[in-house]
Amino acid sequence: MSSKYTKVKGYYDAKLWSVEAVRNAVVKGWITEEEFEEITSESYDAK
């Protein structure tokens, strides 16, 4: 588990962050693509 996974998941679950914000966490290297999919229940497809 990435070091910021719990923080990112908490923000998303509290509706403080959008799916796009979680996607940005992947870009920044805070979480992995797999963790993005776990958090959002959506497929990660890089833009």
Side-chain angles (χ1 to χ4, degrees):
M1 182 181 312
S2 299
S3 63
K4 300 215 181 209
Y5 174 86
T6 303
K7 183 177 284 192
V8 172
K9 180 167 175 30
Y11 288 157
Y12 181 76
D13 289 347
K15 301 193 186 326
L16 297 172
W17 279 20
S18 65
V19 171
E20 195 58 38
V22 179
R23 187 180 311 278
N24 287 338
V26 176
V27 173
K28 291 181 178 188
W30 289 8
I31 60 171
T32 65
E33 292 179 12
E34 291 80 16
E35 290 169 336
F36 170 89
E37 293 176 1
E38 288 175 23
I39 291 168
T40 65
S41 299
E42 294 187 15
S43 176
Y44 181 86
D45 42 12
K47 293 184 178 182

